[in-house]
Amino acid sequence: MMGPKQETQSALFYEFSLEDHVPQDHFLRSIDQFVDLSSIRPHLSDFYSHTGRPSTDPELLIRMLLVGYCFGIRSERRLCEEVHLNLAYRWFCSLDLNDRIPDHSTFSKNRHGRFRESGLLRHEFETTVARCLKEGLIGGHGFAVDASLISVDVQKQNSSNPEDWAAKQIDPKDAPRAVREYLDTLDDEAFGAATTVQPKFTAHADPASQWTAARKGPAFFAFSTNYLIDTDHSIIVDVDASRSNKTAEVGAMRKMIDRTQERFGLKPDWIAADTAYGSGDNLVWLTLKRQILPFIPVFDKGERTDGTFSRSSFAWDDDNDRYICPEGKELLHTRRNYSDATRSAPTWKAQKYRALKADCMTCPSKAKCCPNSDVRAIHREKYEHVRDFARKCTASAYNPTAQKRRKKVEMLFSHLKRILGLGRLRLRGPCGVQDEFTLAATAQNLRKLAKLKPLVPAAG
């Protein structure tokens, strides 16, 4: 039969426990076992006054931010509402039913103040990486690096040509926060000093962002989030923000590799990346200065697309410092016989190797080699020895495994945008962007820990 109508009845007393109402297998319970905030108060002790009204607990703010980034709640207004209503969120934030939720403006005040000045978000990210290391999820043998474009919360209509921007007289004291941060990063390799090329447009609200059409579609303003991951379990060992151009992203990679070694003593045996990281200077930095094997395709402009012989069609003879063409003729950078043999010895500089005109004019393959010139010449880069070493790495039997593992970082970017909802930035300026990327990477590592090391509910 039909049951009685449910009516709201107010009781004088309730016996209620959040601990009993959050399921033992809830995802937040698995995350909570890996959240270590014991070092927050000592870390922030110098940034609080010893007098005045008590402030909001910084541990509560960090826990709320972790909830927001773990579950894709981007708005801090909405985050406060969700924590107010959701019992599991209250339990994770150590809030009772009667505890008051902080106002959304508290996050902005602390983020622009003591959190940023103390580097607290970076500190918590490194604490999470240290926990992953303790749990045995970081092997430290193979790393992968990549960058992904994240659009900025500005519009093209609110931008101008850099020349018009430079002509404006702006007092740094009266400028918005994002503009002041832009001025502070003009000499930073990841931002202002990354390239001397002037962008087509500069955003007024966030001038540090990059106007880019790298997605082969309509151009937009963006920053790049750079991930350095351990390929064993896709743990993010470092994260950095930069402008969206190749030079800035390579600079971010170098910074992350050095910082990871300094913080955790981790230096990989090999690293995998795409062609954007395959410039000669970067390969020299990896192989000669850091002794890391590069499974990186070489950035090479020597390949021809018109059907004629490319540089790779010529065999390099290192013992005799020459190229051998497909017809067996040699190309030399000099044909003089010096009394001092060191004058013609191979050196670390760019050189041009040429064949004999007599050989080329009578060659049966001239139409496929140098149809528009009398002699075939090959330009050899300054660090071609290192580039040849990188080619051997990418041609080795282990390269398919390294490239397969490299795709794990692309999966993390997909998860970042699709699950965590970071397809468009909410904060502006280099510091705000770095905060968002750091919190998102922390949340991804915590979710990975919870997945690989789930909490086993107590029996009974």
Side-chain angles (χ1 to χ4, degrees):
M1 67 178 183
M2 184 181 296
K5 181 180 179 182
Q6 185 71 30
E7 296 182 358
T8 302
Q9 296 181 354
S10 300
L12 295 177
F13 302 99
Y14 288 96
E15 183 177 351
F16 186 87
S17 172
L18 277 177
E19 184 69 30
D20 297 337
H21 281 74
V22 178
Q24 292 298 316
D25 59 349
H26 196 280
F27 191 57
L28 277 177
R29 286 190 180 272
S30 296
I31 290 179
D32 184 63
Q33 64 176 326
F34 300 111
V35 177
D36 182 11
L37 303 180
S38 59
S39 60
I40 282 185
R41 290 183 175 275
H43 188 81
L44 291 175
S45 60
D46 296 336
F47 296 88
Y48 281 90
S49 174
H50 298 290
T51 60
R53 294 187 304 169
S55 63
T56 304
D57 186 0
E59 294 184 21
L60 170 60
L61 298 179
I62 294 299
R63 283 185 174 271
M64 290 181 65
L65 286 173
L66 289 177
V67 167
Y69 278 83
C70 282
F71 293 93
I73 305 174
R74 303 293 315 289
S75 169
E76 288 166 357
R77 290 177 182 268
R78 184 181 161 220
L79 176 62
C80 293
E81 296 174 357
E82 292 292 334
V83 173
H84 176 72
L85 296 173
N86 193 300
L87 295 181
Y89 294 171
R90 278 186 173 268
W91 172 87
F92 181 79
C93 296
S94 302
L95 292 170
D96 202 354
L97 286 178
N98 296 323
D99 290 336
R100 182 173 175 271
I101 305 298
D103 188 76
H104 66 88
S105 61
T106 307
F107 292 96
S108 300
K109 185 67 176 178
N110 283 273
R111 181 174 56 246
H112 295 311
R114 55 181 64 94
F115 284 6
R116 190 165 293 170
E117 293 170 0
S118 65
L120 179 63
L121 300 182
R122 180 75 201 181
H123 172 74
E124 287 307 310
F125 169 76
E126 292 179 353
T127 301
T128 306
V129 175
R131 184 58 184 269
C132 294
L133 193 61
K134 180 181 177 181
E135 296 291 335
L137 300 182
I138 299 177
H141 301 294
F143 283 2
V145 66
D146 204 353
S148 182
L149 299 179
I150 308 293
S151 61
V152 182
D153 187 25
V154 295
Q155 298 295 331
K156 180 184 175 182
Q157 289 77 5
N158 190 25
S159 65
S160 62
N161 188 279
E163 296 179 357
D164 299 334
W165 173 270
K168 294 182 179 180
Q169 298 296 327
I170 300 175
D171 187 354
K173 296 181 180 179
D174 299 332
R177 181 182 290 107
V179 176
R180 295 198 302 270
E181 292 177 5
Y182 162 72
L183 296 175
D184 292 338
T185 57
L186 288 177
D187 296 328
D188 193 324
E189 292 184 356
F191 290 96
T195 178
T196 57
V197 178
Q198 291 292 334
K200 188 175 182 180
F201 295 102
T202 298
H204 299 163
D206 197 350
S209 60
Q210 179 84 42
W211 176 255
T212 177
R215 291 178 179 171
K216 307 302 181 183
F220 59 100
F221 289 103
F223 282 100
S224 286
T225 176
N226 300 268
Y227 277 5
L228 181 69
I229 73 165
D230 182 87
T231 59
D232 284 0
H233 295 96
S234 304
I235 299 298
I236 305 169
V237 295
D238 207 342
V239 56
D240 199 49
S242 71
R243 298 195 76 183
S244 299
N245 59 67
K246 185 176 66 174
T247 307
E249 292 166 1
V250 169
M253 179 210 70
R254 297 183 183 183
K255 183 195 302 184
M256 292 189 294
I257 290 177
D258 287 343
R259 188 163 51 192
T260 301
Q261 183 174 5
E262 177 186 351
R263 298 286 197 274
F264 308 106
L266 294 173
K267 192 189 82 169
D269 300 324
W270 57 267
I271 189 169
D274 58 26
T275 314
Y277 300 86
S279 64
D281 291 342
N282 193 44
L283 293 174
V284 168
W285 187 88
L286 286 170
T287 57
L288 300 184
K289 297 183 179 180
R290 295 299 180 269
Q291 287 78 51
I292 301 174
L293 290 176
F295 289 99
I296 304 174
V298 176
F299 185 76
D300 192 356
K301 295 184 178 180
E303 296 300 311
R304 296 186 174 184
T305 59
D306 58 358
T308 59
F309 292 148
S310 300
R311 182 169 54 189
S312 59
S313 303
F314 294 74
W316 170 248
D317 182 3
D318 192 52
D319 294 333
N320 298 303
D321 187 27
R322 63 178 183 174
Y323 279 101
I324 304 297
C325 78
E327 295 293 337
K329 304 298 182 180
E330 65 178 6
L331 288 77
L332 301 175
H333 71 88
T334 180
R335 298 181 185 274
R336 294 183 180 180
N337 294 322
Y338 293 99
S339 57
D340 183 5
T342 58
R343 294 187 63 183
S344 60
T347 58
W348 287 91
K349 66 178 182 180
Q351 292 179 328
K352 183 172 286 189
Y353 291 75
R354 295 180 177 86
L356 288 174
K357 183 177 180 180
D359 292 337
C360 289
M361 295 303 292
T362 60
C363 180
S365 300
K366 187 178 186 304
K368 294 186 63 178
C369 184
C370 51
N372 300 322
S373 61
D374 295 336
V375 178
R376 178 60 189 262
I378 294 179
H379 181 80
R380 185 170 177 84
E381 300 290 342
K382 178 180 180 181
Y383 299 117
E384 196 65 26
H385 290 84
V386 177
R387 289 155 58 91
D388 287 341
F389 176 76
R391 292 186 182 99
K392 291 180 181 178
C393 289
T394 55
S396 66
Y398 190 75
N399 184 62
T401 301
Q403 295 304 321
K404 183 178 180 180
R405 290 191 167 199
R406 183 186 68 83
K407 294 187 180 299
K408 293 182 178 182
V409 68
E410 297 178 359
M411 295 173 63
L412 284 171
F413 289 142
S414 176
H415 180 272
L416 175 71
K417 297 175 182 179
R418 187 171 58 89
I419 304 299
L420 302 190
L422 196 65
R424 186 181 180 90
L425 290 163
R426 186 175 56 85
L427 304 180
R428 293 173 178 171
C431 293
V433 171
Q434 185 67 61
D435 289 347
E436 286 215 70
F437 291 161
T438 303
L439 277 169
T442 303
Q444 287 183 290
N445 280 347
L446 287 173
R447 291 176 65 102
K448 181 66 69 171
L449 276 166
K451 179 181 178 180
L452 298 179
K453 301 284 183 177
L455 181 67
V456 179

